[in-house]
Amino acid sequence: NFSDAVFALAITLLLISTSPPSNFEQIRRFVYELIPFLLCIAIILIIWHEHYIFFYRYGLRSAKIIVLNTLFLSLLLFYVYPLKFLTRLILFPIARLLHDDALLGSLNGIIATEDVGDLMIIYGIGAASVFFTLMLMYRYALKLAVELELNELEKFDTRVKIRTNLLMGAVPVLSVILAFIFYGSWLAGIIPGFTYFLYTPIMMIHRRYVDRNRRNFIDLQRTEGSNEL
């Protein structure tokens, strides 16, 4: 319940700086703001689902998992504002595409070009830390496989979750490295930003690899079970 309350607070923080529109121009701008808001919600829900699945599967209540979970929730709250700020930059190409001078005017001064690299570094560190903490939680669960009475398939799925969160955290780390490499250049925002598009091919390849190995693992378990009979 406490963890869900923190996720609810994280979503509230996305809206806390949004004031009710007082004229039609502000209503139109509010509609545009809905795009980055929904994107933020989607990302937070993905993280929430991973967190929910972990406690649903293992139900751990030890002191170590409380520490890791507290760290995870603290990082999540830190992660919200860089996420909101970064997704709001999506409005720049939208405003230019629609030739919306009012929207462009509201975005002017939001961030200087030379500061974009710093934003990518802050966001990348936050994102990587969230997923690496989840990875540590799954590693801890795997160490307690005997106490949790995990069968071989459940241990296999736990290892998959460890690798998945490692990959999810590795992409932001790569983005941070590139931001440092191109620091001070106009490329410091573009190249690290496009790095996040690697998620799609990486996770697709990983999912196919996992699905194939999981089927093979299940078939092997069935074969061994039949031989024992």
Side-chain angles (χ1 to χ4, degrees):
N1 290 338
F2 175 75
S3 298
D4 285 344
V6 172
F7 276 98
L9 176 61
I11 294 175
T12 302
L13 290 175
L14 296 175
L15 285 170
I16 201 167
S17 62
T18 303
S19 57
S22 58
N23 54 57
F24 180 75
E25 185 59 41
Q26 290 181 0
I27 290 177
R28 187 171 63 172
R29 196 179 305 161
F30 180 78
V31 172
Y32 292 145
E33 293 279 356
L34 189 63
I35 298 172
F37 174 72
L38 291 177
L39 182 57
C40 289
I41 292 292
I43 294 173
I44 289 176
L45 285 179
I46 290 171
I47 297 173
W48 169 82
H49 184 260
E50 285 294 313
H51 183 268
Y52 165 78
I53 289 297
F54 174 84
F55 283 99
Y56 178 79
R57 283 183 176 178
Y58 309 108
L60 292 170
R61 297 291 187 274
S62 65
K64 185 170 182 178
I65 207 65
I66 290 174
V67 171
L68 287 173
N69 190 51
T70 302
L71 175 62
F72 170 83
L73 295 175
S74 301
L75 291 169
L76 176 70
L77 292 177
F78 164 81
Y79 173 70
V80 168
Y81 278 119
L83 172 64
K84 180 179 180 179
F85 197 87
L86 186 62
T87 54
R88 197 164 184 265
L89 295 182
I90 297 172
L91 294 177
F92 272 108
I94 294 175
R96 290 194 176 96
L97 182 64
L98 298 175
H99 304 289
D100 194 324
D101 294 333
L103 181 59
L104 276 173
S106 68
L107 294 172
N108 282 336
I110 186 174
I111 189 170
T113 303
E114 59 270 19
D115 294 331
V116 176
D118 289 323
L119 174 61
M120 299 306 300
I121 291 170
I122 293 170
Y123 174 81
I125 291 173
S129 300
V130 167
F131 289 112
F132 286 157
T133 305
L134 271 174
M135 180 194 70
L136 292 175
M137 292 166 69
Y138 275 103
R139 283 190 63 185
Y140 178 67
L142 186 61
K143 288 181 180 179
L144 298 178
V146 176
E147 292 88 337
L148 294 172
E149 298 181 353
L150 301 181
N151 59 36
E152 292 303 317
L153 183 58
E154 288 170 333
K155 286 191 280 189
F156 175 87
D157 289 337
T158 304
R159 293 188 189 96
V160 168
K161 284 295 185 180
I162 292 171
R163 288 196 300 269
T164 300
N165 284 290
L166 178 62
L167 291 172
M168 292 292 290
V171 172
V173 169
L174 176 59
S175 177
V176 169
I177 293 172
L178 291 173
F180 274 114
I181 292 174
F182 295 100
Y183 192 82
S185 165
W186 62 275
L187 293 172
I190 296 175
I191 294 180
F194 275 104
T195 302
Y196 289 94
F197 286 101
L198 291 174
Y199 270 134
T200 300
I202 288 174
M203 299 316 295
M204 285 179 64
I205 294 171
H206 178 61
R207 185 73 260 168
R208 290 176 183 174
Y209 172 80
V210 168
D211 288 344
R212 183 177 66 252
N213 284 350
R214 197 173 193 274
R215 286 194 299 268
N216 293 339
F217 185 83
I218 292 173
D219 291 340
L220 180 61
Q221 290 289 90
R222 288 174 178 170
T223 302
E224 290 177 351
S226 300
N227 291 337
E228 290 177 0
L229 293 174

